[in-house]
Amino acid sequence: MFSIKDISEYIVALIAAFASHYSMTEVEAYRYLSHYGAIKVAHDFYDVMHTQPFDDMVQSMASYCKLKGGYL
């Protein structure tokens, strides 16, 4: 089982990478990802996501949000 610390650190790093990639603040990235449910996805699928490159996961989160009605 994974520790909540590991999952939390991963999600924080993923939010920071998303913010950097899309030229937004980390607060804006958090709000966007949270609004479209991507934070929950990152939590629920941490076991798979943390083994993938961050760039791929940033793109996956953007695609997921787009499917839920988001746009960047």
Side-chain angles (χ1 to χ4, degrees), residues 2 23 34 44 53 56-57 59-61 64 66-67 71-72:
F2 300 104
S23 300
S34 183
D44 293 348
D56 292 351
M57 292 301 91
Q59 293 302 318
S60 291
M61 292 290 95
Y64 179 82
K66 185 176 180 182
L67 287 173
Y71 62 93
L72 293 171

Side-chain angles (χ1 to χ4, degrees), residues 9 11 16 20 26-27 34-36 50 70:
E9 288 175 352
I11 291 172
S20 176
E26 290 178 9
V27 171
S34 183
H35 179 77
Y36 293 106
H50 86 280

Side-chain angles (χ1 to χ4, degrees), residues 15-65:
I15 292 168
F18 190 92
S20 176
H21 183 81
Y22 288 102
S23 300
M24 56 176 59
T25 68
E26 290 178 9
V27 171
E28 290 169 331
Y30 170 79
R31 287 181 181 153
Y32 178 83
L33 293 169
S34 183
H35 179 77
Y36 293 106
I39 301 292
K40 183 172 180 355
V41 169
H43 178 270
D44 293 348
F45 294 99
Y46 168 79
D47 58 335
V48 174
M49 291 179 68
H50 86 280
T51 66
Q52 304 301 311
F54 263 86
D55 290 339
D56 292 351
M57 292 301 91
V58 166
Q59 293 302 318
S60 291
M61 292 290 95
S63 296
Y64 179 82
C65 291

